[in-house]
Amino acid sequence: MRVVVSGAAGFIGSHLCDRLLADGQEVIGLDNLSTGRAENLRHLQGRPEFRFVRHDIREPFQADGRIDVVYNLACPASPRDYLAAPLETLAACSEGTRNMLELAVHNRARFLQASTSEAYGDALVQPQPETYWGNVNPVGPRSVYDEGKRYAEALTMAYHRERGTDTRIARLFNVYGPRMKRGDGRVLPAFLDQALRAVPLTVFGDGSQTRSFCYVSDIVEGIVRLAASDETTPVNLGGPDEITVLELAKVVQTIAGVDCGITHLELPQDDPSRRQPDIAKARRLLNWEPEVDLRQGVRLMLASYLG
């Protein structure tokens, strides 16, 4: 198999490259390094079966030789990143997704779109099944990511219906693990960074909002299984267990061995109050569910930050 991974230098993309190479596939990794980091791929330098191309998917891309699968993961994913680059985020989800779909069409390749739990917005249904259409503010500051990814899903399905493109859609929930930037802005790397600096952990609101975390190796396993399946409609991939942000802060402090307190700040606009995937579809169709529990995953992530 010869595959393209866009967003290859990103947190999830780099782990996906590792997995695909371990499975004996040849990988072309694309990234414009706007939020991805070259150091995430440094360990792959010199491997003949891996080639990195610095490329912005907002521009068309054609590979030399055949391509069997296109994995589209290229998009700012942290609120800090997409709020700082709203137009670029929307363009990555629209023009970028279309360019990657065209690459798949040209090569008669399978296409997998990495979507997000943010497609559900501030969900009114708990847990969220793939049949739930979401509760998204279409004009709020977060909409550049939420609606961008929803558009990318719509575009993917339009190519599937109108062009016969062999497509897959993975809705990813709160992925975490090594290679997340400490200054990423998302809750787990932020908590770990603050714990390592022995400063109070920043909790937005009263901390009663929930998240459901999934370790990156489990997410990559789900992506690989979905790509190999025959399922063309969206599939949730995430940890099914909820935890409040306040509880998470206490878990991080316990694992890091610090007692540095907690600071509460105002809740950001449109911040989801609950986030929990219904993964019955992934269990049934992919025989998939997470294996790394949260405390084990946090220990592994902390160890990666300590070097």
Side-chain angles (χ1 to χ4, degrees):
M1 297 281 283
R2 192 166 187 258
V3 307
V4 166
V5 176
S6 68
F11 156 54
I12 302 174
S14 62
H15 285 281
L16 179 59
C17 288
D18 289 344
R19 169 59 187 273
L20 296 171
L21 290 165
D23 287 346
Q25 301 187 35
E26 183 180 344
V27 178
I28 300 172
L30 309 181
D31 206 298
N32 69 354
L33 301 181
S34 61
T35 58
R37 297 184 295 173
E39 66 192 70
N40 287 343
L41 299 173
R42 192 163 292 139
H43 62 290
L44 301 179
Q45 288 179 355
R47 292 188 60 167
E49 65 274 30
F50 178 77
R51 180 163 68 94
F52 175 73
V53 180
R54 186 164 184 172
H55 179 81
D56 190 326
I57 66 165
R58 291 177 293 175
E59 299 296 328
F61 177 78
Q62 289 299 332
D64 52 342
R66 82 172 201 288
I67 297 296
D68 299 298
V69 186
V70 177
Y71 295 88
N72 185 33
L73 282 73
C75 182
S78 163
R80 181 171 296 176
D81 289 336
Y82 63 68
L83 292 175
L87 297 179
E88 292 86 344
T89 300
L90 285 166
C93 291
S94 53
E95 297 142 55
T97 300
R98 184 158 196 163
N99 286 329
M100 292 297 97
L101 279 160
E102 286 292 334
L103 175 64
V105 168
H106 179 78
N107 287 275
R108 298 181 180 176
R110 182 163 293 185
F111 175 86
L112 184 141
Q113 172 63 33
S115 188
T116 173
S117 59
E118 300 293 343
Y120 299 118
D122 190 6
L124 304 177
V125 172
Q126 308 297 334
Q128 295 89 55
E130 291 87 349
T131 51
Y132 177 54
W133 292 352
N135 178 40
V136 175
N137 178 356
V139 295
R142 295 172 67 103
S143 66
V144 298
Y145 185 67
D146 301 1
E147 293 287 31
K149 286 291 191 176
R150 285 161 67 95
Y151 176 82
E153 287 193 19
L155 189 60
T156 299
M157 291 306 300
Y159 265 75
H160 174 71
R161 294 187 183 105
E162 297 299 315
R163 305 283 293 276
T165 313
D166 189 14
T167 60
R168 308 287 182 271
I169 298 172
R171 288 182 182 156
L172 312 181
F173 282 70
N174 292 97
V175 190
Y176 73 101
R179 300 180 195 160
M180 288 190 88
K181 292 179 286 190
R182 284 175 63 168
D184 178 273
R186 284 175 281 193
V187 63
L188 249 176
F191 280 174
L192 285 169
D193 176 61
Q194 290 168 330
L196 287 171
R197 292 186 290 116
V199 299
L201 274 58
T202 302
V203 170
F204 293 99
D206 62 5
S208 63
Q209 65 272 31
T210 70
R211 297 294 181 265
S212 300
F213 294 92
C214 193
Y215 193 69
V216 64
S217 62
D218 285 326
I219 285 291
V220 166
E221 177 67 29
I223 289 172
V224 168
R225 291 192 188 194
L226 178 58
S229 78
D230 295 324
E231 182 57 39
T232 59
T233 60
V235 176
N236 289 337
L237 297 175
D241 300 321
E242 280 183 293
I243 184 171
T244 70
V245 171
L246 192 58
E247 289 170 339
L248 178 67
K250 294 173 182 176
V251 166
V252 168
Q253 289 190 347
T254 298
I255 290 173
V258 298
D259 184 10
C260 48
I262 292 171
T263 298
H264 291 267
L265 296 180
E266 185 179 352
L267 200 65
Q269 182 179 342
D270 301 323
D271 191 62
S273 58
R274 292 184 69 185
R275 181 59 50 74
Q276 181 187 23
D278 181 339
I279 62 167
K281 189 174 179 180
R283 284 181 171 131
R284 184 179 73 255
L285 298 178
L286 310 180
N287 192 29
W288 176 90
E289 62 183 326
E291 295 183 354
V292 180
D293 69 45
L294 179 63
R295 285 161 180 77
Q296 178 188 2
V298 170
R299 290 188 187 96
L300 292 169
M301 191 170 172
L302 177 61
S304 74
Y305 285 166
L306 293 172

